[in-house]
Amino acid sequence: MLEILKKLVHANGISGNEECIRNVIIELLCNNVDSIKIDNLGNLIAFKKGKGESSGRAKIMIAAHMDEIGVIVTYIDKKGFIRFANVGWVSPFYAMGQRVKFENGIVGTVFYEQKVENMDKLKLDKMFIDIGAASYEDAANLLKIGDTAVFISDFILQDNIIISKALDNRSGCLLAILAAQFGNEYPNDIYFVFTSQEEVGIRGAGSAAFGIQPDLAIVLDVTDTGDVPGCKPMEITMGKGPAIKVKDGSYIASPHARRLFEKIAIELKMPYQLEIMEGGGTDGGSIHISGCGVITGGISIPVRYIHSPSEMCSTNDIKLGIELLTTILSTPLNEYLNNV
Amino acid sequence: MLETLKKLIALPGVSGNEEKVREFIYNRINSYVDEIYIDALGSIISVKYGKWRASGCNNEAVPKVMLSAHMDEVGFVITAINDDGTLKFQTVGGIETGILPGKKILLGNNVPAIIGCKPIHLQEKEEFEKRIEFKNLYLDIGTTSKEESEKFAPIGTYGTFEQQFTILNGGKISGRALDDRVGCAILMTIIECGEEFWNDVYFCFTTMEEIGLRGSKTVAQNIKPDIAIVVEATTCADVPGVEEDAVCTISGNGPALTIMDRSTISDKNLNNFIIKAANSNSLKYQFKRLVAGGNDASSIQRAGEGCRVASISVPCRYIHSSQGVMDKEDMFLCKELIVCTLRSLENTGGKIC
């Protein structure tokens, strides 16, 4: 499981440029699903047909976004320094002093214009990437406007803690991949959708949901925690189990979904937490209002330091998350969903 | 094309109130297209069927292409009338208050109005050192009473910057509402030149872009295009006082392709296809160099099951002000680039990848 996660975090895939991570996921899944499709927005839609009569099978959509945050080249100056913009929410403080790696392997240091007087007001447009080029020509030979880069970070496993970039949301992708690989037959039809462009505004998921029109959508993503010094109060603690979504900044989870997930967690005698994330958005935001509306719930992995190159999560939460997800999917849901 | 642009600029069409522009475009193009209708939000949807139909090709395999420009402009609306006859107003779409005092605008049926505020001689030091606040602005139409004003400009009357299409030196032109009458002029010119393309091409003139990309949502949902190119005017700050990296586009360097703006990441394959068409036809172009702004591509991309989108824009200085400035050549090259892209589709069975 951890080998797969390592592979996923190292496969680059900034919003709008998800080819690499998409190909890695296709390779991992292709023998476990019945069909694979890539839509106009780059969403990867892998379909696994359920067993039994088609009229008795519920249509479930699993959504896990495969894109990550990064930076994009906007300008190369006369001396070969690179100006950039964020792709997704990138904090200038998290980015300061970090290394970034472009698709062609070139590495650079992110730094700021030292004439900035007030560090409180530090913004990305007062920062630049230095790839060590001697001139504009040198830099332009290597990079061009529109090239994207990810932050560099090693994948570290320490006891049962993982430190890495892109746990948001390769950990969610991991859950989806393992659920697709698990067993041979579910009693429901399942669309495993690895969505694109979530980090720039939950853009891919709505279109995918529109095409599928599922009976139930389960969004797999990460959630903030309330267990580090000086943080905003929040009930989530890393290591205390997967979080079942109540609401985040972009949607209120359907009570029908939430109750179902809680019931199953209780039956499994599994520790779980309830997630209320005041800010932030996830694919559920666009899925639940797509088409005529979709019953949408979420299972989230608690992650500390989200959107930094050193995100942190617990392997226990991941293992329990997989167990919860596969148990939900293994439950025939047609009758339950028809009666809500 | 310049004549068409001049006529388009002369017509008022603030978001939600685009009738005159719509009527003009509809009457001009309707004999050149195979089908045309107006949707519930007032957008024009027209289609020129493609050559593939006569070739015996399978319908499913030929992508639907949508070209889109918005008819609306930023402007004003009257919200209240003061007892002394002056009018309170709001902006429709994004307009910076700093450019407003002293401007002449036209309300409703060409009623001239001046945007007034406290004269500088009477302002306190703190007042004139900071940006003027909207609440301190009003419209003066020369009346002295509420009753009189109601006859000329009742609440709900729309207003536009006064139109002045002017030819400047160096191949530059100026006028209000270049955003996005330039896009409309380009699409009208392509339609009226009568050329047939391989794919079915939907020429769409959308409403209410400036207040939230609204018209395009329903148009795209209706047509369900596979490929869409939005034709726009875009930020151009190649002017004094702007740092080199914030210039965004340069007037005269050709039409600008968007890689990413605040609301859309353009489809890479479509962008590459357009670039290839530009290179094969030796057309100059540039990239938009700032992640800023947003346009109809955002709602088109996400309509229905999704669509591959790109934007080709004409750089426009002082965009969203009373008068923008753009380069004639950039406009012509923008039209050429779109036409060359449509022509290239014939070599690939109508597909971009």
Side-chain angles (χ1 to χ4, degrees):
Chain A
M1 167 189 99
L2 293 173
E3 278 312 304
I4 296 179
L5 183 57
K6 195 171 174 181
K7 210 171 175 178
L8 292 173
V9 303
H10 284 149
N12 294 339
I14 287 183
S15 309
N17 288 272
E18 297 99 346
E19 302 82 37
C20 182
I21 177 68
R22 188 167 50 230
N23 288 335
V24 168
I25 296 175
I26 290 176
E27 222 183 283
L28 288 165
L29 272 186
C30 56
N31 296 324
N32 301 101
V33 295
D34 298 298
S35 70
I36 288 188
K37 171 181 128 154
I38 300 169
D39 76 6
N40 280 332
L41 261 82
N43 293 308
L44 170 60
I45 303 173
F47 173 60
K48 198 168 164 110
K49 195 156 142 216
K51 63 174 187 264
E53 286 286 316
S54 70
S55 55
R57 302 197 300 263
K59 221 197 280 188
I60 317 283
M61 171 179 169
I62 304 287
H65 74 86
M66 56 180 169
D67 60 315
E68 64 187 291
I69 56 165
V71 296
I72 185 168
V73 177
T74 53
Y75 181 73
I76 303 175
D77 81 10
K78 289 192 280 277
K79 293 195 176 160
F81 292 100
I82 315 287
R83 295 286 174 170
F84 64 96
N86 55 305
V87 180
W89 188 84
V90 174
S91 155
F93 304 105
Y94 300 177
M96 173 64 77
Q98 295 291 340
R99 298 171 202 182
V100 291
K101 188 171 179 179
F102 292 90
E103 284 168 71
N104 61 0
I106 294 293
V107 174
T109 298
V110 180
F111 222 72
Y112 74 110
E113 292 172 19
Q114 291 178 10
K115 68 178 195 266
V116 163
E117 275 157 17
N118 187 354
M119 282 302 277
D120 281 348
K121 298 206 160 75
L122 181 65
K123 290 224 241 72
L124 294 178
D125 62 10
K126 292 280 171 251
M127 296 169 73
F128 56 87
I129 298 170
D130 183 352
I131 58 169
S135 63
Y136 169 84
E137 286 72 29
D138 272 0
N141 277 336
L142 296 168
L143 295 174
K144 59 186 192 302
I145 291 171
D147 282 350
T148 55
V150 293
F151 290 96
I152 292 180
S153 168
D154 286 339
F155 178 92
I156 308 274
L157 173 67
Q158 194 162 269
D159 287 341
N160 58 354
I161 297 296
I162 298 169
I163 304 177
S164 170
K165 73 156 172 88
L167 290 177
D168 175 12
N169 181 36
R170 303 295 157 73
S171 57
C173 292
L174 173 70
L175 259 62
I177 291 168
L178 292 176
Q181 290 178 342
F182 172 89
N184 279 326
E185 285 184 321
Y186 287 111
N188 306 296
D189 285 342
I190 308 177
Y191 290 81
F192 294 92
V193 185
F194 297 87
T195 62
S196 66
Q197 298 191 38
E198 188 273 353
E199 295 288 6
V200 288
I202 52 178
R203 294 180 191 168
S207 307
F210 187 92
I212 296 169
Q213 294 178 45
D215 301 309
L216 167 70
I218 307 178
V219 178
L220 305 173
D221 209 320
V222 302
T223 180
D224 236 332
T225 65
D227 59 355
V228 299
C231 72
K232 224 169 164 183
M234 196 183 168
E235 278 296 317
I236 307 264
T237 302
M238 186 178 78
K240 290 230 166 117
I244 294 175
K245 177 93 66 177
V246 175
K247 80 179 273 295
D248 65 31
S250 66
Y251 81 111
I252 297 175
S254 161
H256 305 299
R258 179 192 144 187
R259 270 181 228 131
L260 171 69
F261 302 169
E262 280 195 84
K263 176 165 169 282
I264 291 176
I266 291 168
E267 282 166 6
L268 287 170
K269 296 193 174 46
M270 168 190 294
Y272 69 92
Q273 315 184 61
L274 289 177
E275 174 197 347
I276 297 175
M277 198 159 62
E278 279 180 56
T282 58
D283 279 341
S286 27
I287 292 171
H288 82 298
I289 49 170
S290 81
C292 299
V294 178
I295 296 175
T296 308
I299 297 174
S300 310
I301 302 294
V303 169
R304 292 179 183 168
Y305 324 121
I306 292 177
H307 282 204
S308 79
S310 306
E311 294 174 339
M312 185 189 278
C313 75
S314 155
T315 53
N316 291 335
D317 293 339
I318 294 182
K319 287 189 183 122
L320 291 173
I322 293 164
E323 198 188 333
L324 178 57
L325 178 62
T326 48
T327 310
I328 294 168
L329 296 177
S330 303
T331 312
L333 291 173
N334 200 33
E335 212 183 304
Y336 176 81
L337 292 169
N338 279 336
N339 289 332
V340 299
Chain B
M1 190 157 40
L2 277 181
E3 267 311 300
T4 304
L5 180 59
K6 188 171 176 179
K7 290 185 176 143
L8 282 166
I9 284 176
L11 300 165
V14 178
S15 305
N17 209 44
E18 301 95 344
E19 305 84 63
K20 293 207 160 86
V21 181
R22 180 169 50 241
E23 214 181 300
F24 174 79
I25 297 176
Y26 187 99
N27 289 335
R28 277 274 295 261
I29 66 172
N30 86 77
S31 55
Y32 293 91
V33 294
D34 296 305
E35 260 190 70
I36 181 168
Y37 57 99
I38 297 170
D39 84 354
L41 294 185
S43 299
I44 298 175
I45 301 176
S46 69
V47 60
K48 280 182 80 127
Y49 292 133
K51 290 195 266 194
W52 71 270
R53 287 170 181 256
S55 73
C57 250
N58 180 0
N59 179 20
E60 298 266 328
V62 184
K64 262 194 226 174
V65 175
M66 171 177 167
L67 299 179
S68 178
H70 66 90
M71 297 186 283
D72 61 312
E73 62 187 282
V74 296
F76 312 93
V77 66
I78 304 301
T79 51
I81 305 180
N82 297 322
D83 289 331
D84 63 2
T86 57
L87 311 168
K88 278 185 145 63
F89 69 104
Q90 272 294 339
T91 54
V92 178
I95 302 179
E96 199 213 330
T97 52
I99 59 142
L100 293 179
K103 289 284 190 315
K104 179 174 163 199
I105 68 172
L106 295 172
L107 299 173
N109 276 325
N110 288 332
V111 175
I114 308 298
I115 301 180
C117 67
K118 205 195 252 185
I120 195 170
H121 314 76
L122 303 178
Q123 288 179 24
E124 302 286 339
K125 187 162 184 273
E126 302 80 45
E127 265 182 289
F128 76 73
E129 266 175 3
K130 59 177 189 184
R131 175 166 296 193
I132 190 141
E133 281 181 39
F134 204 85
K135 61 182 186 191
N136 297 326
L137 296 174
Y138 54 87
L139 287 169
D140 183 349
I141 55 171
T143 54
T144 49
S145 74
K146 195 173 184 172
E147 292 71 35
E148 224 186 319
S149 290
E150 262 162 0
K151 287 193 228 132
F152 290 106
I155 290 174
T157 304
Y158 280 93
T160 58
F161 287 116
E162 192 187 17
Q163 78 85 3
Q164 283 160 36
F165 176 90
T166 316
I167 297 185
L168 302 177
N169 294 316
K172 303 275 192 265
I173 51 178
S174 85
R176 71 149 224 279
L178 288 175
D179 175 8
D180 182 28
R181 302 294 158 74
V182 71
C184 294
I186 287 171
L187 290 192
M188 287 173 70
T189 306
I190 298 176
I191 293 171
E192 290 173 340
C193 80
E195 186 172 345
E196 276 195 326
F197 303 106
W198 186 255
N199 307 55
D200 289 345
V201 181
Y202 288 78
F203 293 88
C204 304
F205 300 85
T206 61
T207 59
M208 298 188 278
E209 186 272 353
E210 297 290 3
I211 51 167
L213 324 172
R214 293 179 192 174
S216 54
K217 284 189 177 56
T218 49
V219 169
Q221 194 71 258
N222 196 326
I223 301 172
K224 296 185 177 44
D226 300 293
I227 297 168
I229 299 178
V230 170
V231 192
E232 263 280 18
T234 193
T235 316
C236 175
D238 59 342
V239 294
V242 175
E243 302 268 351
E244 250 191 273
D245 58 295
V247 155
C248 193
T249 59
I250 296 179
S251 187
N253 274 15
L257 300 183
T258 301
I259 295 172
M260 176 175 164
D261 64 28
R262 284 259 155 259
S263 53
T264 321
I265 297 177
S266 299
D267 183 82
K268 274 195 331 191
N269 288 321
L270 181 51
N271 262 355
N272 287 339
F273 191 88
I274 295 170
I275 290 167
K276 220 166 140 197
N279 292 334
S280 316
N281 292 279
S282 306
L283 297 172
K284 73 177 171 192
Y285 64 93
Q286 56 183 308
F287 288 107
K288 199 169 152 171
R289 290 180 335 207
L290 211 63
V291 178
N295 62 32
D296 278 340
S298 162
S299 40
I300 297 169
Q301 181 181 53
R302 297 182 238 183
E305 283 187 65
C307 170
R308 296 180 186 274
V309 299
S311 301
I312 308 182
S313 311
V314 183
C316 179
R317 294 174 185 159
Y318 330 123
I319 201 168
H320 282 207
S321 76
S322 57
Q323 294 211 80
V325 168
M326 59 176 37
D327 189 290
K328 261 187 331 187
E329 218 22 53
D330 288 345
M331 183 171 75
F332 288 117
L333 287 173
C334 183
K335 182 213 62 139
E336 271 309 298
L337 181 51
I338 297 167
V339 170
C340 290
T341 302
L342 293 174
R343 283 183 194 146
S344 303
L345 285 166
E346 187 158 359
N347 305 330
T348 55
K351 302 190 186 147
I352 55 164
C353 59

